[in-house]
Amino acid sequence: GDEMYPEVNSTFEYLAYLNQQNRAHHEAIERNRAEQKRLAELQRMFTRISQEYPPAFLHKLNQEIMIVARRLIQNGQSRKGDERQVLRNLELLLRKCAPGSRALVYGSFASGFQIPSSDLDIVIETSSSTTKRQDVSRLLDSLAEVMGEANWVEDIKKHQAVVPLVKARVIVSSLVSNDAKKHGEEPGMNQSSGVQRLDLDITVKTPTHRGAAAAHVLRSLAGTLHGMRELGVLLKHFLATRGNGQADPYEGGLSSYALILIVAAILQLRDDLRRSFGTTLSSGTSDYPEGKATASSNHFDLAEALVVFLESFVPGFDPTQDLIVPSPPPMASLAPRWMQFLQKGGKAKSRFASDPLVVVDPTDPTNNTARSCYRFPEVQKSFQAALERLRQAASQMKDMRTRDSKNSESSGVGCTSNSLNSSSSNFTMLEALFGEKLSIPG
């Protein structure tokens, strides 16, 4: 045996070596089984998508997503005037209560994912390193006091959350519209003549504050993942319209940061499957009415991404067992990369086993961005209802097109009308998703 296994020099070491090899072999078999099982699940999901959602449906849904998302993004960009005015006013107050400090923006306004209902997230950077909770609390008390005396602040409250913060509602007047015009911006929801209001979340920068890093991560991901910004603002708007605190992390809802990270994870999962297996797992088909769309074309790329998000995140996701890792570290696992974004059964082995939902923070793998989301069952139920309505709309289009095809064959005249395939300005598909009539500013 010495010639065959020169690294062992005793019977005991030889047996230990064999045991190690057997264990490694067994683990490899288990990984292979898990990989094949997960691949079969994904194959069934994409097959179901291709069967339930006709290309014409995805094409129209894609058009609607592009129009609505563009309006939401433009509306968000038009609110930069609000942001500038608030920062100027706030820094004037900081001179009184915290000289040498400055106000910086993070959150959706910094990452570019702001929507009409978004709060403006502000972090106060002090001249000295603030680390103690009592120092942070004292500074916020002083700021809340001076803000309470300002005529542009309507309401202000201090919250003793995991991260102490001040929540305020402020007035942004027609002065914002003038300021926006100076910068070549079109007036939006909060930049029209008259008085408008904006909600603020104000925190203090500490060594553990991840706001700026989080905004940078989202900007970087949005720069590499096609459709992430469009899908992100659309789903943010959807969740914001559900009410009951589902979009408010301070009320147990899903934070916008966690939601966008989930979108990024699902998009990366889909893209990695495409790279690994080509179009064999794609929901797109060549059976498109005009004969010009392919599985990877832009004719329904956003629509496919939305459907994959809902199909992955609703029926096949168990928050008590699974976890989401939007940016898995390289070489951290022997599993293929497409298995690492949504890790089935991986929660029990993680440090987050007791959290209601796990979305690992790319800026800090020890941080769970959804640790306070105890309303996740309500969030998942909202997405489940949306998925069911979307499936019903797709089924109606399939039935209608089948009837039209039969009528065309019997009469010899082509079908010229379809209420579910009308002008893209009529948001029939997204209204099915939202369960209500859409009203998008801008």
Side-chain angles (χ1 to χ4, degrees):
D2 292 344
E3 294 79 10
M4 294 179 61
Y5 305 101
E7 65 269 32
V8 300
N9 52 28
S10 71
T11 302
F12 177 79
E13 289 183 2
Y14 173 62
L15 292 175
Y17 173 84
L18 289 180
N19 184 53
Q20 182 183 29
Q21 294 301 305
N22 287 336
R23 185 165 57 249
H25 180 65
H26 176 74
E27 290 173 353
I29 292 175
E30 290 301 313
R31 284 196 303 272
N32 183 261
R33 286 176 179 170
E35 181 178 336
Q36 294 302 316
K37 179 181 178 181
R38 179 63 177 145
L39 190 59
E41 290 174 355
L42 291 167
Q43 180 70 67
R44 287 193 295 269
M45 182 187 75
F46 278 93
T47 300
R48 185 173 66 250
I49 290 174
S50 66
Q51 293 173 346
E52 293 185 359
Y53 301 91
F57 174 88
L58 293 173
H59 176 63
K60 185 168 189 328
L61 177 60
N62 200 83
Q63 288 181 313
E64 295 182 13
I65 293 174
M66 290 176 64
I67 293 171
V68 171
R70 189 179 302 122
R71 290 185 183 180
L72 288 169
I73 292 170
Q74 289 173 347
N75 182 279
Q77 292 172 343
S78 72
R79 300 178 70 193
K80 299 300 285 185
D82 294 348
E83 174 190 322
R84 283 190 292 269
Q85 186 189 36
V86 168
L87 289 178
R88 283 197 300 269
N89 290 342
L90 197 57
E91 291 200 342
L92 289 174
L93 298 182
L94 285 173
R95 294 177 187 176
K96 300 179 181 179
C97 65
S101 301
R102 60 175 183 159
L104 304 173
V105 173
Y106 71 101
S108 58
F109 275 78
S111 64
F113 284 88
Q114 68 268 42
I115 60 173
S117 61
S118 290
D119 296 344
L120 176 59
D121 297 307
I122 297 174
V123 59
I124 306 301
E125 186 178 74
T126 61
S127 55
S128 59
S129 178
T130 305
T131 57
K132 296 181 179 179
R133 188 179 179 90
Q134 56 265 36
D135 293 337
V136 171
S137 184
R138 193 178 303 115
L139 192 155
L140 290 176
D141 285 338
S142 300
L143 180 60
E145 183 177 350
V146 295
M147 287 184 69
E149 299 171 356
N151 58 7
W152 55 278
V153 180
E154 279 194 340
D155 185 41
I156 186 164
K157 294 178 182 177
K158 185 182 174 188
H159 288 248
Q160 291 292 349
V162 175
V163 178
L165 78 157
V166 165
K167 296 180 78 72
R169 174 163 294 178
V170 301
I171 297 170
V172 284
S173 67
S174 56
L175 292 175
V176 179
S177 179
N178 295 330
D179 183 70
K181 290 177 181 177
K182 290 179 183 178
H183 291 81
E185 297 171 1
E186 294 295 326
M189 175 181 171
N190 289 357
Q191 293 181 328
S192 56
S193 59
V195 174
Q196 303 293 331
R197 288 159 180 82
L198 181 63
D199 291 330
L200 311 181
D201 286 347
I202 306 174
T203 56
V204 177
K205 187 174 182 179
T206 64
T208 59
H209 196 287
R210 304 182 184 91
H216 175 73
V217 164
L218 293 189
R219 288 195 303 269
S220 298
L221 287 170
T224 59
L225 293 174
H226 173 70
M228 175 178 161
R229 194 174 302 279
E230 290 82 359
L231 203 57
V233 296
L234 179 74
L235 290 170
K236 272 191 67 174
H237 186 62
F238 170 83
L239 207 56
T241 60
R242 301 305 95 181
N244 299 325
Q246 292 186 40
D248 188 347
Y250 297 106
E251 295 185 19
L254 184 63
S255 71
S256 62
Y257 181 46
L259 174 61
I260 302 300
L261 287 177
I262 295 171
V263 171
I266 297 301
L267 287 175
Q268 289 178 98
L269 167 63
R270 185 192 63 161
D271 292 349
D272 208 71
L273 285 170
R274 282 179 173 175
R275 284 190 294 268
S276 300
F277 303 101
T279 59
T280 57
L281 285 174
S282 176
S283 64
T285 71
S286 60
D287 185 25
Y288 185 76
E290 286 74 24
K292 57 186 179 182
T294 64
S296 59
S297 76
N298 289 332
H299 286 282
F300 38 74
D301 194 64
L302 288 174
E304 182 194 64
L306 173 62
V307 172
V308 171
F309 170 88
L310 292 173
E311 292 281 358
S312 301
F313 190 48
V314 181
F317 181 78
D318 183 355
T320 66
Q321 302 291 330
D322 308 334
L323 74 161
I324 298 166
V325 186
S327 297
M331 305 302 292
S333 171
L334 294 175
R337 189 167 174 80
W338 55 265
M339 284 189 66
Q340 297 178 40
F341 300 109
L342 203 166
Q343 297 182 15
K344 307 291 287 185
K347 185 178 180 181
K349 299 178 182 178
S350 74
R351 66 174 69 227
F352 313 113
S354 61
D355 292 351
L357 173 68
V358 180
V359 183
V360 179
D361 190 348
T363 70
D364 180 5
T366 67
N367 179 48
N368 175 18
T369 65
R371 64 182 179 276
S372 63
C373 188
Y374 60 83
R375 288 187 185 271
F376 181 71
E378 298 174 43
V379 173
Q380 197 170 27
K381 190 177 295 184
S382 293
F383 282 126
Q384 177 69 56
L387 176 60
E388 290 173 358
R389 290 191 297 267
L390 206 60
R391 285 173 172 172
Q392 185 176 9
S395 178
Q396 289 175 358
M397 174 174 277
K398 283 180 65 177
D399 293 344
M400 189 173 297
R401 292 179 68 84
T402 300
R403 288 196 301 269
D404 289 343
S405 178
K406 290 181 179 179
N407 292 338
S408 176
E409 291 175 2
S410 61
S411 63
V413 179
C415 176
T416 59
S417 64
N418 190 329
S419 61
L420 281 175
N421 197 24
S422 56
S423 169
S424 59
S425 62
N426 183 15
F427 303 123
T428 51
M429 307 306 173
L430 284 184
E431 285 174 359
L433 177 79
F434 278 69
E436 60 189 20
K437 193 169 182 63
L438 284 180
S439 177
I440 308 295

